[in-house]
Amino acid sequence: MTPIKTPHEAPSSAGGRTTGRSAPLRTLIAGLMVSVLGAGFIGTVVIAQAQPQQAIEWDKRRLDQLDRNVRRLERALTQRNAAGAPVIIEPDPEVVALQGRVDVLQRRLEDIEASFQRVNQDMERMSFALDEAERSNTQLRRRLDATTERLNTLETRASAIIEANTPVAANSPTGSAAGDYAEAMRFMNQGDFAAARRAFEVFVVTWPDAEQTREANYRLGETRLLAEDNSGAVQAYAASLSGWPRTPWAADATVKLATALHADGRTPQACQALNEFRTRYNEGAPQAVRTRATQLRTRAQCA
């Protein structure tokens, strides 16, 4: 057996030029041609590398010539194998080394791919855990909001109870009846009916004989009616209508007194208040007030 090693350098007779390092395929073909077609020629050919290799233009003629040479090599190898002298082609050591590095890189690439898969799996588990935590946080936030709302409601009710049970003492925030009344009306116009109610309660205690006291009781009745304190509203409206005054708000106060009496379960007294309205204020009352009086009379089924 004749082993053939793929050389690093090989001669080239194309155009009479000397070439340097050849591609693996050209090197293999040249080595086989020297070994098989040499017809017993033994020798060592050393060609110095004079110039850099020039690129080969692979036209149809060169490709046909390469195909013929490959076929000749195949026939020669077949004849040698049939004659009992097989040709052993040893790979180029550089190719073997390169293949080894490629294998190492391939294993590293597989390791990196496996690492990425593990990282992706971990990220999926983390994402699922984050979603679960977000849902739990949302539920807790809703429960906390509901609890906070209930606590606020309880605090408001407790404050109202404390305020209602606290005795009203005479006090003048501004030092005058007109100023205290204006302050209470400011709360009323701002929609702060709890503060307005307290301000009017203090006013009627502090200034029982003031010019604004009747109207202050009327306004106090409105704030109590809004707070669904029907009994307290009846007291305030009754105090404002003592002596049946001829004021612009008296007609409305009478209808609201009847409304509070009806809501407090005192329907006969509500009908009496409506009769007083018809007798005393119906003729000069605004149409909206008369309409409310008629509707309330129907609901209360007054005679």
Side-chain angles (χ1 to χ4, degrees):
M1 294 186 293
T2 304
I4 299 176
K5 296 184 178 180
T6 57
H8 296 289
E9 310 250 337
S12 175
S13 60
R17 293 189 301 271
T18 302
T19 61
R21 184 181 300 271
S22 304
L25 178 59
R26 293 178 59 206
T27 302
L28 175 61
I29 294 173
L32 292 174
M33 291 178 66
V34 170
S35 300
V36 178
L37 301 179
F41 175 76
I42 301 175
T44 303
V45 179
V46 180
I47 300 176
Q49 182 175 357
Q51 297 178 354
Q53 180 183 0
Q54 297 181 358
I56 299 176
E57 297 181 1
W58 290 99
D59 54 9
K60 186 176 184 303
R61 182 183 64 80
R62 286 183 180 273
L63 291 173
D64 291 342
Q65 182 180 0
L66 178 62
D67 183 65
R68 287 193 298 271
N69 291 337
V70 172
R71 292 180 184 276
R72 290 175 62 190
L73 284 173
E74 288 178 349
R75 287 194 299 270
L77 290 173
T78 301
Q79 293 173 2
R80 290 292 297 272
N81 289 334
V87 177
I88 299 176
I89 301 176
E90 296 182 358
D92 192 331
E94 292 185 1
V95 175
V96 175
L98 179 61
Q99 183 63 39
R101 288 195 292 271
V102 170
D103 292 340
V104 172
L105 292 176
Q106 180 66 28
R107 287 194 297 271
R108 290 182 179 178
L109 183 61
E110 291 174 354
D111 293 340
I112 292 174
E113 184 178 3
S115 299
F116 271 117
Q117 291 178 353
R118 290 193 297 270
V119 170
N120 287 336
Q121 293 174 356
D122 293 340
M123 290 182 64
E124 289 178 357
R125 287 193 294 269
M126 291 178 63
S127 178
F128 178 76
L130 287 174
D131 291 341
E132 289 293 327
E134 182 65 25
R135 283 192 289 270
S136 299
N137 288 337
T138 302
Q139 294 175 357
L140 290 174
R141 191 180 300 109
R142 290 174 179 173
R143 295 176 61 183
L144 180 61
D145 292 342
T147 302
T148 302
E149 184 177 356
R150 287 195 295 270
L151 287 175
N152 292 335
T153 302
L154 290 175
E155 289 179 356
T156 302
R157 291 179 179 177
S159 298
I161 293 173
I162 293 173
E163 182 179 352
N165 294 329
T166 301
V168 179
N171 180 33
S172 177
T174 65
S176 67
D180 291 350
Y181 183 82
E183 183 71 9
M185 284 301 299
R186 184 176 65 83
F187 290 131
M188 191 79 171
N189 295 330
Q190 290 176 350
D192 190 353
F193 300 115
R197 181 175 67 252
R198 192 65 177 178
F200 284 123
E201 288 175 348
V202 172
F203 182 92
V204 297
V205 172
T206 306
W207 309 99
D209 299 324
E211 181 181 355
Q212 299 90 349
T213 302
R214 283 183 179 272
E215 188 171 357
N217 275 297
Y218 163 63
R219 301 297 181 184
L220 177 59
E222 286 186 324
T223 59
R224 288 176 175 177
L225 196 63
L226 289 172
E228 298 182 355
D229 180 11
N230 297 314
S231 178
V234 169
Q235 295 177 4
Y237 284 129
S240 68
L241 292 171
S242 177
W244 301 109
R246 306 299 298 181
T247 60
W249 47 264
D252 182 65
T254 305
V255 175
K256 287 182 178 178
L257 171 62
T259 302
L261 286 168
H262 180 64
D264 199 37
R266 292 185 280 179
T267 303
Q269 290 88 341
C271 292
Q272 291 177 7
L274 291 175
N275 290 335
E276 293 292 340
F277 169 79
R278 176 184 295 176
T279 302
R280 300 177 183 276
Y281 303 114
N282 184 70
E283 184 176 352
Q287 180 61 44
V289 176
R290 285 184 289 176
T291 300
R292 283 193 288 113
T294 301
Q295 294 173 347
L296 180 58
R297 184 182 296 276
T298 300
R299 289 199 307 270
Q301 297 180 352
C302 296

